[in-house]
Amino acid sequence: MKATVVALLCFLNLCWLLIGGGVFSALEWQHESAERVSFEDTRSRLLQNYSCLTEEEVTNFIRAIVTATNAGLTLDNSTASDTSNWDFGNSVFFSSTVISTIGYGHISPSTYGGQAFLVPYALIGIPLCGLMLNGIGENIGNFITKKKEQYKKRWSKKVSDRTAEVLVMLILFLLFLVFLVLIPSAIFLALEGWSYHISIYYSFVTLTTIGFGDYVPGQNSAQRVVYRLAILCWFMIGLSWMAVILNQVSTFLTDIGVKAQTAREERKKKKEGDVGEEGEENKAAEDEENWGSTKSAKQSNVELRNMTPIES
């Protein structure tokens, strides 16, 4: 990639970061300020209503709640609060978020042993998971390539090859949207009690491996094991399908770039060829003109020599 292209991409990314910062700041800053005011109001009312509590005791209690929440504990009256986040099933689920790089962050190792084990585990697991996802994506991609060629032959009389490729990518995206985003979001709506827009938001954040961790499925103990195993399968298929879509888009854009570069080179060569031919034609015309002038001069000299001197 040329240095100018890299510089342009860096500039575009910087602009995109600045745009994102401006938009998120405008959308979230006011809400954060309102939440801060609400928190201070609740804290003040607590101190007023329970005069037996000191400000230091309330502050320590809040810190204990924050620490427990950061450790992944669910602080409510449901049965989930009595369920460990580090039983075998939940530990497998956590491991899947590590090797898939989703990294929800709702729980994380807090012991020295857990943090030390995470490093080599991730170093081995992330490439291993990447190879698995690449294999799944490659098989899906091969199937899609065969289908794409069939569709291109079927549509060749009606649309161009480029239009056929765009239609295939559109179909891929619609299948991804329906079967891996919209339908799972409806399931989350039914089982998690989230709103539909939150369910779609969670699906997108997960399948793009952003993984904020603000919403995590399977918090109810009654459905944790089987439900989270199903979610694990959804992870892997969704990530593979997303990789296939990105690969198809990348290939399509690369082909467009290569064709455009080839066309520019052909136009340049043709232009240079036309200039060369014109130059040769001009040179030939000049040679012919010079030859004609030389011939005329020679004929004049011969005539002068043959002329009889005029007597005075």
Side-chain angles (χ1 to χ4, degrees):
M1 189 176 290
K2 295 182 179 179
T4 53
V5 177
V6 175
L8 178 61
L9 290 174
C10 291
F11 176 73
L12 291 175
N13 275 276
L14 178 61
C15 292
W16 197 243
L17 287 173
L18 295 176
I19 291 171
V23 172
F24 285 123
S25 177
L27 293 174
E28 299 294 334
W29 197 346
Q30 187 174 0
H31 176 72
E32 181 193 39
S33 299
E35 289 293 326
R36 183 180 290 109
V37 170
S38 176
F39 169 75
E40 292 296 337
D41 181 63
T42 301
R43 185 171 176 274
S44 298
R45 285 190 287 107
L46 180 65
L47 289 170
Q48 291 175 0
N49 294 334
Y50 299 92
S51 57
C52 59
L53 294 175
T54 65
E55 186 171 347
E56 183 180 359
E57 289 174 339
V58 172
T59 301
N60 291 334
F61 180 66
I62 292 172
R63 287 175 179 171
I65 292 174
V66 172
T67 301
T69 302
N70 290 338
L73 299 181
T74 305
L75 303 178
D76 56 22
N77 294 324
S78 67
T79 55
S81 60
D82 298 327
T83 304
S84 172
N85 284 311
W86 292 104
D87 58 18
F88 182 72
N90 287 303
S91 296
V92 170
F93 183 78
F94 168 76
S95 300
S96 70
T97 65
V98 172
I99 65 174
S100 62
T101 69
I102 292 173
Y104 283 131
H106 65 297
I107 58 172
S108 59
S110 57
T111 64
Y112 175 80
Q115 294 170 353
F117 175 71
L118 177 68
V119 175
Y121 180 78
L123 287 175
I124 297 173
I126 291 174
L128 191 62
C129 181
L131 290 172
M132 180 191 70
L133 294 176
N134 183 63
I136 297 173
E138 186 176 345
N139 284 301
I140 296 175
N142 291 336
F143 173 77
I144 290 171
T145 301
K146 292 179 182 179
K147 290 295 180 182
K148 184 168 66 175
E149 294 301 323
Q150 293 177 3
Y151 287 134
K152 285 172 67 174
K153 290 179 181 178
R154 186 182 303 175
W155 297 337
S156 59
K157 296 180 180 180
K158 299 180 181 179
V159 296
S160 63
D161 288 345
R162 182 174 296 181
T163 304
E165 290 185 2
V166 172
L167 290 174
V168 169
M169 286 189 293
L170 182 61
I171 292 172
L172 280 176
F173 178 74
L174 290 176
L175 290 174
F176 171 81
L177 185 65
V178 172
F179 291 102
L180 294 171
V181 176
L182 297 181
I183 292 178
S185 296
I187 295 173
F188 296 138
L189 171 67
L191 297 180
E192 298 292 339
W194 300 338
S195 64
Y196 196 60
H197 89 271
I198 287 178
S199 300
I200 293 176
Y201 161 80
Y202 162 76
S203 299
F204 176 79
V205 166
T206 297
L207 295 180
T208 52
T209 69
I210 297 173
F212 289 127
D214 47 354
Y215 294 96
V216 180
Q219 295 297 314
N220 294 328
S221 59
Q223 52 184 269
R224 271 192 172 188
V225 178
V226 177
Y227 182 41
R228 285 192 167 179
L229 286 175
I231 291 174
L232 178 59
C233 295
W234 172 67
F235 281 171
M236 300 308 173
I237 296 174
L239 293 175
S240 300
W241 198 272
M242 176 70 77
V244 170
I245 292 176
L246 293 176
N247 179 262
Q248 292 291 322
V249 172
S250 176
T251 302
F252 176 72
L253 294 177
T254 301
D255 289 342
I256 291 178
V258 170
K259 289 178 181 178
Q261 182 67 24
T262 303
R264 284 195 296 268
E265 291 177 355
E266 289 179 353
R267 286 196 299 268
K268 185 177 179 180
K269 289 180 180 178
K270 184 178 179 181
K271 187 176 180 180
E272 291 175 352
D274 292 341
V275 171
E277 291 178 1
E278 185 178 353
E280 290 178 359
E281 291 177 358
N282 293 334
K283 186 177 180 181
E286 290 176 359
D287 292 342
E288 185 177 353
E289 185 178 352
N290 293 333
W291 182 80
S293 299
T294 304
K295 184 178 180 182
S296 298
K298 289 180 178 180
Q299 289 178 352
S300 299
N301 291 332
V302 171
E303 289 176 357
L304 287 172
R305 285 196 299 267
N306 293 334
M307 286 177 64
T308 304
I310 301 175
E311 295 179 358
S312 57

